[in-house]
Amino acid sequence: MSRSPIRRPPASLDLSKVLRLVDSLPEVLSSDSMFGNAKPLEIEVGSGKGLFMSNASAENPRHNFLGVEINAKCAEHAAGRLARAEVTNAIMISGDAEPLFNERVPAESLEAVHVYFPDPWWKKKQRKRRVLNERSILNFSKALRAGGRLHVWTDVLDYFEETVEIIAEIAPELGVPIPEEEIEAQHDLDYRTHFERRSRRHRIPVYRVRYEKRG
């Protein structure tokens, strides 16, 4: 299944307000340090082309959104999408999410963590690279406030089942998985991510759940 190319935004587009490199981040990641306000903060891990970031920030201006993308070209593309939309409540971070959650995201500070269609790393020897692993799940749970949400969507059944099992074993405070229903798209970009758009167009099953952290 072919993928559309990832294009960096034109040099004339100012990304200074919507793109940060890890080296330029504050010691603590919060709404105050990144946006200068106290709005609830949500983080997407693995933002890809930034469709969720642009849609969610536009639909929910009362919240702030940070997207973390390890692929620099994708991070720039996503930031370009935010810049063109002229959003003020979303910023892309180009870098690895794991050390950020380890060292810079305060405990019980996040409204939500979003992980949509993470790379499955099919080979057994590569599975340690998966975004959803024991270490990251514990980090996400620690970062969420009581009542905060973890959203997990994937079109890989094995990955989905393994993630649900890991959460049940090591993070029972996240509660039980709550199915999230498919919502009919109103236009061509009315999807959480480009991967959801592609999966639904090709009738590939998508497994969607959220967790709500217990108090």
Side-chain angles (χ1 to χ4, degrees), residues 187-199:
H187 53 80
D188 191 48
L189 291 178
D190 187 22
Y191 299 92
R192 285 286 172 103
T193 76
H194 285 87
F195 278 97
E196 186 200 13
R197 176 175 176 267
R198 187 180 66 172
S199 294

Side-chain angles (χ1 to χ4, degrees), residues 31 41 48 83 189:
S31 276
L41 181 62
L189 291 178

